[in-house]
Amino acid sequence: MTLQERDKNAVWHPFTQLKIAPLPIAIVKGEGAYFYDEQGRRYIDAIASWWVNVHGHCHPYLTKKISEQLHILEHTLFSGFTHEPAVLLAERLLDRLPDNQSKIFYSDNGSTAVEVALKMAFQFWSNQSADKTKVIAFENGYHGDTFGGMSAGARNAFNLPFAKLLFDVIHIPVPVKGKEQQTLDALQTALKRDDIASFIFEPLVQGAGGMVMYSAEMLDELIEQCRVAKVITIADEVMTGFGRTGKFFASDYLTHKPDIICMSKGLTGGVMPMGATSCSQFIYDAFWSDDKMKTFFHGHSYTANPTACSAALASMDLFDKPEAFENIIRIEKKHNLFLQKIKSHKALIEVRQLGTIIALEIKTNDYTHYLNSLAENISEFFISKGIIIRPLGNVLYILPPYCISNKDLEYIYDAVEEFLSGLQ
Ligand SMILES: *Cc1c(COP(=O)(O)O)cnc(C)c1O
């Protein structure tokens, strides 16, 4: 039996209608920006393996540091116990995070980093006997696939079977160009209520919603209004963190900093599953008490897994070298040149770019987003070119590992142009 046949017999894949989907490509090796399949075919990982990879696959330094950790301490419980990698990583994350962040809470993926943030905000209020249980979030957002994350996110085909089970969230428009006033008005109306616990948002870029972008000035304004209204602000930096937007965090573009920040994807360099939620001192203080009922009762078996921490620490070492941001800026410039070249193309509605992310919104008759057939055609076309690109509906985007070469970027841009010219 081939690997693909054995897979079909035993495995259930995410986001996939297995009855009609083509068989998955079996990847046997990763190296830098490349994957290799069973037949030895090479693919450029143009979307950083679902936005997690930053320094490239099987980076020798990450591999070495993780393997060293595995010989010392692979895992330990984290309630009543601690270890050097978790403490050091918290210190180093706090060094990089906005100044108002003062504690790190570990979990094990992006959805749990968001659940932790939402629960922290809800309990912040309940610990003070305040009845605040409503959340404000942007329309079109994505915050993960657990129930809290789904509730905060856009209501769409992906969570329709669970629609009745999700908690109530006030969704306000995304402040894209031209909609700023609509957003401000909607926020103002929402903030008149006295039961708002928190406002959660993907800062500057809505990833899964189609790489939708909005300005730092607008977000600054919204955060400031929440602060005045005493509503906790939560930046879901799961996709935007770790250099993706051209700065270490998207929050670094802001003057007003969020109270809570969620991290995952790039945290371990894209090697180990891990989540982290940071918070301001005033949040932590609301749980600091002689009353055991004010404890934050949340945790996961693999909270602060030392091996994952060692991967994150090694990734932070690489970020401390000048090459990391040199690469990020190099990609940013290349993307921008391509944007200038392609933006007036007849097949396109709009091209958006921030940092290492470039997104092309393609004209189509079918705007059902993820589930439309254009997306399948795009994936197939690029696979035939040896490029891994999985569009978000009619939004084709490139979000590469930072080690990708200029030559590979140009090869991808050429393939994109070839694809677009085939649409007419
Ligand atoms: C991917 C993502 C999540 C969920 O992270 P998982 O690790 O896939 O659970 C949450 N928020 C944002 C903004 C994301 O992009």
Side-chain angles (χ1 to χ4, degrees):
M1 266 204 291
T2 66
L3 193 54
Q4 289 179 326
E5 285 162 349
R6 283 166 48 210
D7 177 282
K8 188 144 199 157
N9 285 341
V11 183
W12 190 343
H13 287 263
F15 304 122
T16 309
Q17 179 42 269
L18 294 158
K19 187 170 180 197
I20 52 182
L23 289 175
I25 296 166
I27 299 296
V28 294
K29 181 179 157 65
E31 186 178 53
Y34 304 123
F35 279 136
Y36 297 86
D37 72 9
E38 282 181 303
Q39 282 79 41
R41 264 201 87 190
R42 194 183 81 176
Y43 303 89
I44 305 171
D45 184 6
I47 55 167
S49 284
W50 264 355
W51 325 343
V52 300
N53 194 283
V54 292
H55 308 294
H57 294 285
C58 295
H59 192 290
Y61 181 73
L62 295 179
T63 306
K64 174 173 159 276
K65 298 302 272 188
I66 296 163
S67 106
E68 281 170 14
Q69 182 62 42
L70 280 170
H71 289 281
I72 301 167
L73 173 68
E74 87 303 356
H75 184 61
T76 164
L77 70 171
F78 202 60
S79 184
F81 297 84
T82 192
H83 51 82
E84 172 79 18
V87 176
L88 187 56
L89 178 59
E91 291 168 349
R92 290 184 68 180
L93 286 172
L94 290 171
D95 278 347
R96 285 280 194 173
L97 282 158
D99 287 344
N100 70 336
Q101 299 299 297
S102 61
K103 291 286 183 293
I104 302 289
F105 192 98
Y106 291 110
S107 60
D108 41 30
N109 61 67
S111 303
T112 55
V114 168
E115 294 289 328
V116 166
L118 292 168
K119 286 176 72 174
M120 265 182 191
F122 286 133
Q123 196 180 336
F124 170 86
W125 293 114
S126 101
N127 276 3
Q128 298 168 84
S129 308
D131 188 19
K132 293 184 191 272
T133 55
K134 284 277 179 296
V135 175
I136 302 174
F138 283 137
E139 290 164 359
N140 191 51
Y142 179 74
H143 297 288
D145 286 341
T146 50
F147 272 85
M150 283 195 294
S151 298
R155 304 303 158 88
N156 55 30
F158 281 59
N159 49 49
L160 194 61
F162 318 107
K164 281 191 185 159
L165 305 167
L166 303 181
F167 59 73
D168 233 11
V169 168
I170 300 168
H171 285 104
I172 63 171
V174 192
V176 291
K177 249 197 206 77
K179 280 217 185 157
E180 291 94 340
Q181 196 54 47
Q182 240 175 290
T183 305
L184 284 168
D185 294 346
L187 184 71
Q188 232 134 46
T189 308
L191 291 180
K192 285 193 185 115
R193 303 170 57 125
D194 56 9
D195 59 352
I196 309 287
S198 64
F199 168 40
I200 183 167
F201 49 86
E202 292 162 272
L204 308 191
V205 189
Q206 292 189 305
M211 301 295 158
V212 171
M213 300 180 188
Y214 62 94
S215 77
E217 293 73 36
M218 266 311 294
L219 187 53
D220 258 325
E221 174 74 30
L222 303 175
I223 290 175
E224 180 54 13
Q225 294 205 13
C226 286
R227 193 200 320 273
V228 171
K230 292 199 161 51
V231 163
I232 292 170
T233 49
I234 303 171
D236 178 354
E237 292 246 19
V238 168
M239 189 279 280
T240 51
F242 303 92
R244 194 45 78 189
T245 66
K247 292 193 189 273
F248 204 88
F249 290 105
S251 298
D252 296 338
Y253 285 96
L254 302 171
T255 312
H256 300 298
K257 306 300 183 185
D259 302 315
I260 297 179
I261 297 180
C262 310
M263 294 159 270
S264 183
K265 296 199 165 110
L267 170 60
T268 63
V271 181
M272 299 282 298
M274 173 164 233
T277 307
S278 68
C279 72
S280 301
Q281 189 65 35
F282 81 93
I283 306 265
Y284 182 78
D285 288 345
F287 293 78
W288 178 269
S289 170
D290 294 321
D291 181 356
K292 282 194 178 161
M293 285 315 293
K294 293 195 173 167
T295 307
F296 190 44
F297 289 113
H298 186 105
H300 300 278
S301 314
Y302 284 98
T303 294
N305 171 255
T307 312
C309 287
S310 76
L313 283 167
S315 174
M316 296 294 271
D317 289 344
L318 295 181
F319 272 116
D320 284 344
K321 300 194 169 168
E323 299 92 80
F325 269 82
E326 281 163 19
N327 274 328
I328 288 168
I329 290 161
R330 174 179 59 84
I331 296 167
E332 190 171 331
K333 285 187 177 148
K334 292 289 285 182
H335 274 357
N336 194 261
L337 285 174
F338 181 55
L339 176 144
Q340 299 306 334
K341 182 174 180 205
I342 201 80
K343 67 179 180 196
S344 312
H345 197 287
K346 288 195 296 291
L348 297 176
I349 299 167
E350 189 185 50
V351 184
R352 302 183 278 271
Q353 192 230 331
L354 183 68
T356 66
I357 309 166
I358 185 167
L360 294 78
E361 195 169 338
I362 299 171
K363 287 182 188 155
T364 166
N365 299 322
D366 176 7
Y367 287 97
T368 48
H369 208 49
Y370 270 107
L371 306 176
N372 77 18
S373 55
L374 177 67
E376 280 161 33
N377 297 340
I378 295 175
S379 298
E380 254 170 63
F381 174 86
F382 285 95
I383 283 295
S384 77
K385 299 267 168 199
I387 302 168
I388 297 175
I389 279 187
R390 290 174 65 96
L392 301 156
N394 64 321
V395 177
L396 192 169
Y397 67 92
I398 307 166
L399 190 158
Y402 307 150
C403 65
I404 193 168
S405 69
N406 284 342
K407 191 163 152 276
D408 285 340
L409 279 173
E410 279 150 24
Y411 176 75
I412 298 169
Y413 299 148
D414 286 347
V416 169
E417 283 192 70
E418 188 184 329
F419 178 79
L420 293 179
S421 64
L423 286 176
Q424 278 141 48

PDB file of all heavy atoms in Angstrom, residues 20 34 63 75 98 108 217 256-257 270 281 318 387 411:
ATOM      1  N   ILE A  20     -14.430  13.816  -1.782  1.00  0.00           N
ATOM      2  CA  ILE A  20     -14.164  14.391  -3.105  1.00  0.00           C
ATOM      3  C   ILE A  20     -12.780  15.037  -3.252  1.00  0.00           C
ATOM      4  O   ILE A  20     -12.357  15.354  -4.349  1.00  0.00           O
ATOM      5  CB  ILE A  20     -15.256  15.441  -3.481  1.00  0.00           C
ATOM      6  CG1 ILE A  20     -15.433  16.474  -2.372  1.00  0.00           C
ATOM      7  CG2 ILE A  20     -16.574  14.770  -3.784  1.00  0.00           C
ATOM      8  CD1 ILE A  20     -16.532  17.498  -2.669  1.00  0.00           C
ATOM      9  N   TYR A  34      11.730  24.653   1.144  1.00  0.00           N
ATOM     10  CA  TYR A  34      11.275  23.556   0.283  1.00  0.00           C
ATOM     11  C   TYR A  34      10.726  22.356   1.044  1.00  0.00           C
ATOM     12  O   TYR A  34      11.157  22.058   2.154  1.00  0.00           O
ATOM     13  CB  TYR A  34      12.435  23.036  -0.581  1.00  0.00           C
ATOM     14  CG  TYR A  34      13.102  24.073  -1.423  1.00  0.00           C
ATOM     15  CD1 TYR A  34      14.472  24.299  -1.298  1.00  0.00           C
ATOM     16  CD2 TYR A  34      12.383  24.835  -2.340  1.00  0.00           C
ATOM     17  CE1 TYR A  34      15.108  25.261  -2.072  1.00  0.00           C
ATOM     18  CE2 TYR A  34      13.008  25.793  -3.113  1.00  0.00           C
ATOM     19  CZ  TYR A  34      14.372  26.016  -2.984  1.00  0.00           C
ATOM     20  OH  TYR A  34      14.994  26.956  -3.731  1.00  0.00           O
ATOM     21  N   THR A  63      16.963  22.569  15.108  1.00  0.00           N
ATOM     22  CA  THR A  63      17.021  21.114  15.291  1.00  0.00           C
ATOM     23  C   THR A  63      18.006  20.756  16.402  1.00  0.00           C
ATOM     24  O   THR A  63      17.717  19.923  17.262  1.00  0.00           O
ATOM     25  CB  THR A  63      17.447  20.445  13.968  1.00  0.00           C
ATOM     26  OG1 THR A  63      16.556  20.890  12.948  1.00  0.00           O
ATOM     27  CG2 THR A  63      17.395  18.939  14.056  1.00  0.00           C
ATOM     28  N   HIS A  75       9.589  16.924  29.151  1.00  0.00           N
ATOM     29  CA  HIS A  75       8.306  17.489  29.559  1.00  0.00           C
ATOM     30  C   HIS A  75       8.145  17.391  31.064  1.00  0.00           C
ATOM     31  O   HIS A  75       8.678  16.497  31.703  1.00  0.00           O
ATOM     32  CB  HIS A  75       7.125  16.776  28.872  1.00  0.00           C
ATOM     33  CG  HIS A  75       5.816  17.423  29.204  1.00  0.00           C
ATOM     34  ND1 HIS A  75       5.546  18.719  28.886  1.00  0.00           N
ATOM     35  CD2 HIS A  75       4.729  16.961  29.900  1.00  0.00           C
ATOM     36  CE1 HIS A  75       4.345  19.047  29.345  1.00  0.00           C
ATOM     37  NE2 HIS A  75       3.829  18.003  29.963  1.00  0.00           N
ATOM     38  N   PRO A  98       5.215  44.676  23.624  1.00  0.00           N
ATOM     39  CA  PRO A  98       5.029  46.057  24.071  1.00  0.00           C
ATOM     40  C   PRO A  98       5.249  46.171  25.585  1.00  0.00           C
ATOM     41  O   PRO A  98       4.962  45.220  26.335  1.00  0.00           O
ATOM     42  CB  PRO A  98       3.566  46.345  23.693  1.00  0.00           C
ATOM     43  CG  PRO A  98       3.273  45.432  22.553  1.00  0.00           C
ATOM     44  CD  PRO A  98       4.091  44.189  22.802  1.00  0.00           C
ATOM     45  N   ASP A 108      -1.124  25.586  24.173  1.00  0.00           N
ATOM     46  CA  ASP A 108      -0.439  24.792  23.152  1.00  0.00           C
ATOM     47  C   ASP A 108      -0.846  25.009  21.701  1.00  0.00           C
ATOM     48  O   ASP A 108      -0.377  24.279  20.829  1.00  0.00           O
ATOM     49  CB  ASP A 108      -0.442  23.306  23.503  1.00  0.00           C
ATOM     50  CG  ASP A 108      -1.767  22.860  24.078  1.00  0.00           C
ATOM     51  OD1 ASP A 108      -2.793  23.449  23.698  1.00  0.00           O
ATOM     52  OD2 ASP A 108      -1.768  21.942  24.910  1.00  0.00           O
ATOM     53  N   GLU A 217      -3.599  53.531  12.451  1.00  0.00           N
ATOM     54  CA  GLU A 217      -4.239  54.726  13.034  1.00  0.00           C
ATOM     55  C   GLU A 217      -5.654  54.391  13.493  1.00  0.00           C
ATOM     56  O   GLU A 217      -6.086  54.795  14.571  1.00  0.00           O
ATOM     57  CB  GLU A 217      -4.306  55.878  12.010  1.00  0.00           C
ATOM     58  CG  GLU A 217      -2.965  56.467  11.600  1.00  0.00           C
ATOM     59  CD  GLU A 217      -2.155  55.551  10.698  1.00  0.00           C
ATOM     60  OE1 GLU A 217      -2.777  54.843   9.855  1.00  0.00           O
ATOM     61  OE2 GLU A 217      -0.921  55.491  10.829  1.00  0.00           O
ATOM     62  N   HIS A 256      -1.240  53.073  21.009  1.00  0.00           N
ATOM     63  CA  HIS A 256      -1.986  52.534  22.152  1.00  0.00           C
ATOM     64  C   HIS A 256      -1.880  51.013  22.110  1.00  0.00           C
ATOM     65  O   HIS A 256      -2.272  50.397  21.123  1.00  0.00           O
ATOM     66  CB  HIS A 256      -3.443  52.969  22.094  1.00  0.00           C
ATOM     67  CG  HIS A 256      -3.596  54.463  22.119  1.00  0.00           C
ATOM     68  ND1 HIS A 256      -3.185  55.232  23.177  1.00  0.00           N
ATOM     69  CD2 HIS A 256      -4.083  55.320  21.193  1.00  0.00           C
ATOM     70  CE1 HIS A 256      -3.421  56.499  22.921  1.00  0.00           C
ATOM     71  NE2 HIS A 256      -3.961  56.584  21.715  1.00  0.00           N
ATOM     72  N   LYS A 257      -1.361  50.433  23.189  1.00  0.00           N
ATOM     73  CA  LYS A 257      -1.089  49.000  23.168  1.00  0.00           C
ATOM     74  C   LYS A 257      -2.257  48.205  23.736  1.00  0.00           C
ATOM     75  O   LYS A 257      -2.917  48.643  24.685  1.00  0.00           O
ATOM     76  CB  LYS A 257       0.174  48.697  23.984  1.00  0.00           C
ATOM     77  CG  LYS A 257       1.404  49.498  23.558  1.00  0.00           C
ATOM     78  CD  LYS A 257       1.801  49.252  22.105  1.00  0.00           C
ATOM     79  CE  LYS A 257       3.081  50.013  21.771  1.00  0.00           C
ATOM     80  NZ  LYS A 257       3.430  49.900  20.351  1.00  0.00           N
ATOM     81  N   GLY A 270       7.748  27.703  14.050  1.00  0.00           N
ATOM     82  CA  GLY A 270       6.907  26.825  13.231  1.00  0.00           C
ATOM     83  C   GLY A 270       7.279  25.364  13.384  1.00  0.00           C
ATOM     84  O   GLY A 270       6.930  24.528  12.558  1.00  0.00           O
ATOM     85  N   GLN A 281      -0.158  44.044  33.724  1.00  0.00           N
ATOM     86  CA  GLN A 281      -0.137  43.810  35.158  1.00  0.00           C
ATOM     87  C   GLN A 281      -1.528  43.932  35.787  1.00  0.00           C
ATOM     88  O   GLN A 281      -1.892  43.144  36.653  1.00  0.00           O
ATOM     89  CB  GLN A 281       0.832  44.808  35.816  1.00  0.00           C
ATOM     90  CG  GLN A 281       1.101  44.532  37.284  1.00  0.00           C
ATOM     91  CD  GLN A 281       1.831  43.204  37.499  1.00  0.00           C
ATOM     92  OE1 GLN A 281       2.663  42.804  36.682  1.00  0.00           O
ATOM     93  NE2 GLN A 281       1.499  42.509  38.578  1.00  0.00           N
ATOM     94  N   LEU A 318      17.562  33.274  16.712  1.00  0.00           N
ATOM     95  CA  LEU A 318      17.702  33.607  15.274  1.00  0.00           C
ATOM     96  C   LEU A 318      17.131  34.996  14.989  1.00  0.00           C
ATOM     97  O   LEU A 318      17.663  35.721  14.153  1.00  0.00           O
ATOM     98  CB  LEU A 318      17.013  32.551  14.405  1.00  0.00           C
ATOM     99  CG  LEU A 318      17.629  31.140  14.465  1.00  0.00           C
ATOM    100  CD1 LEU A 318      16.881  30.186  13.542  1.00  0.00           C
ATOM    101  CD2 LEU A 318      19.105  31.150  14.094  1.00  0.00           C
ATOM    102  N   ILE A 387       4.783  24.733  -6.505  1.00  0.00           N
ATOM    103  CA  ILE A 387       4.612  25.787  -5.499  1.00  0.00           C
ATOM    104  C   ILE A 387       3.396  25.444  -4.643  1.00  0.00           C
ATOM    105  O   ILE A 387       2.338  25.104  -5.173  1.00  0.00           O
ATOM    106  CB  ILE A 387       4.358  27.160  -6.171  1.00  0.00           C
ATOM    107  CG1 ILE A 387       5.509  27.540  -7.104  1.00  0.00           C
ATOM    108  CG2 ILE A 387       4.137  28.251  -5.121  1.00  0.00           C
ATOM    109  CD1 ILE A 387       5.199  28.731  -8.015  1.00  0.00           C
ATOM    110  N   TYR A 411      10.223  33.384  -9.109  1.00  0.00           N
ATOM    111  CA  TYR A 411       9.585  32.232  -9.763  1.00  0.00           C
ATOM    112  C   TYR A 411       8.089  32.184  -9.394  1.00  0.00           C
ATOM    113  O   TYR A 411       7.236  31.932 -10.259  1.00  0.00           O
ATOM    114  CB  TYR A 411      10.303  30.941  -9.327  1.00  0.00           C
ATOM    115  CG  TYR A 411       9.678  29.691  -9.871  1.00  0.00           C
ATOM    116  CD1 TYR A 411       9.850  29.333 -11.212  1.00  0.00           C
ATOM    117  CD2 TYR A 411       8.911  28.863  -9.057  1.00  0.00           C
ATOM    118  CE1 TYR A 411       9.262  28.173 -11.713  1.00  0.00           C
ATOM    119  CE2 TYR A 411       8.321  27.711  -9.543  1.00  0.00           C
ATOM    120  CZ  TYR A 411       8.499  27.374 -10.876  1.00  0.00           C
ATOM    121  OH  TYR A 411       7.913  26.237 -11.370  1.00  0.00           O
TER     122      TYR A 411
END
